[in-house]
Amino acid sequence: MTLVPILSYGLAFDDRPIVTASRELAESYTDPDLTMAEHLAEAFVSEGRWCRVGADIHTLGHGDFELRLQPSAGGWHADLFPGSWARWSEFGDVPAAYRHPVAVYADTRERLSSTLPDVEALKLEHLLAGDDGVAAVVAQHVALLDDRLRALDALQACLPSEARRWAWAAELLTDECREVKEQQDALAAVFMEFHLGRAGIRATTMLFVPGFDLPSGFVPLTRAHRCPEADLPAAEAMGTSPTEGRS
């Protein structure tokens, strides 16, 4: 990971300087009216809304990404977090007590994400490296999906059995497993089409496996009816952290 030194900005949070930023974060600022220094200052130093997620500090904003501060040698490292803790978002209902394992999974998912190959990509690989090249490409994507299932299993293992039945956890685990299943099916379909071609109507099989039997427990691929635990009072279910607020 490439680090961009930003100590010269003179920014600090919780009496510790913000010393570095990720290159991805630095290169995301293309608007001359908003610099990275101004955005970090707005998010963490003056009027920003943030929450603690383990040892990290995350903004509480809307959108697909948030700003994040992580402890580093000499201060804080700033980067982007692939998700949002706002209520309407993907992780919006995750209680404060469970945000850290969810954040670990979100980081892992981002690292493992890749675009599945299509038939034309496999044909090109075959021209370049033959059958071994095609097999290597498919094996790489199979391994990424396997690693994502391991990360999901690790996330579920961090949740007590009663928490897994709460609406936010059941929805998150089911949606993530269903996405993995859909990508597995898509990869298998591309591989078969490369070898066998397409003839007539190709039917699409939808969720013919009821769920994944992971080491930490079974995850269904379809959402079950709500259970009593999913209807806990909002304050109890959300577990609002006293550290949330304005910097």
Side-chain angles (χ1 to χ4, degrees):
M1 178 176 62
T2 304
L3 303 182
V4 177
I6 59 171
L7 183 61
S8 61
Y9 289 172
L11 301 175
F13 178 84
D14 202 21
D15 297 324
R16 299 172 62 185
I18 304 176
V19 295
T20 58
S22 66
R23 181 163 296 280
E24 178 189 21
L25 175 60
E27 293 178 347
S28 68
Y29 290 91
T30 58
D31 185 348
D33 295 329
L34 180 64
T35 67
M36 180 170 62
E38 291 169 338
H39 199 185
L40 288 171
E42 180 182 299
F44 298 111
V45 179
S46 56
E47 297 299 324
R49 293 184 63 245
W50 47 267
C51 67
R52 296 187 184 273
V53 181
D56 302 337
I57 310 298
H58 291 228
T59 54
L60 284 168
H62 299 291
D64 296 329
F65 285 85
E66 292 181 350
L67 292 174
R68 171 174 58 183
L69 298 179
Q70 295 182 298
S72 67
W76 296 102
H77 171 70
D79 70 352
L80 292 169
F81 172 70
S84 174
W85 305 109
R87 284 301 304 271
W88 62 270
S89 73
E90 178 185 20
F91 301 141
D93 291 325
V94 178
Y98 299 107
R99 284 177 182 159
H100 181 253
V102 171
V104 171
Y105 172 73
D107 280 327
T108 304
R109 180 182 65 181
E110 182 75 5
R111 177 176 56 82
L112 296 175
S113 296
S114 64
T115 303
L116 293 178
D118 56 19
V119 173
E120 295 304 316
L122 292 187
K123 288 180 179 178
L124 177 59
E125 191 62 40
H126 187 264
L127 288 175
L128 295 174
D131 287 345
D132 289 343
V134 173
V137 169
V138 174
Q140 177 186 12
H141 286 279
V142 169
L144 288 175
L145 292 171
D146 284 348
D147 286 343
R148 186 166 169 184
L149 280 179
R150 292 188 184 94
L152 270 167
D153 182 56
L155 170 59
Q156 181 169 246
C158 290
L159 305 178
S161 57
E162 65 273 12
R164 300 176 192 181
R165 297 193 297 271
W166 292 348
W168 69 268
E171 180 176 340
L172 176 60
L173 292 169
T174 291
D175 285 354
E176 292 298 309
C177 282
R178 183 163 51 195
E179 184 174 317
V180 172
K181 177 60 181 168
E182 290 170 353
Q183 292 188 2
Q184 288 176 334
D185 288 348
L187 183 61
V190 168
F191 191 56
M192 291 178 64
E193 182 179 335
F194 169 76
H195 283 289
L196 304 176
R198 298 182 65 175
I201 297 174
R202 183 178 64 179
T204 300
T205 303
M206 296 299 293
L207 306 178
F208 59 91
V209 176
F212 283 132
D213 191 15
L214 301 177
S216 60
F218 181 79
V219 180
L221 292 180
T222 55
R223 296 178 188 173
H225 296 295
R226 292 175 62 87
C227 42
E229 291 87 349
D231 295 314
L232 289 172
E236 181 181 353
M238 286 301 295
T240 303
S241 169
T243 59
E244 286 188 8
R246 297 186 179 275
S247 54

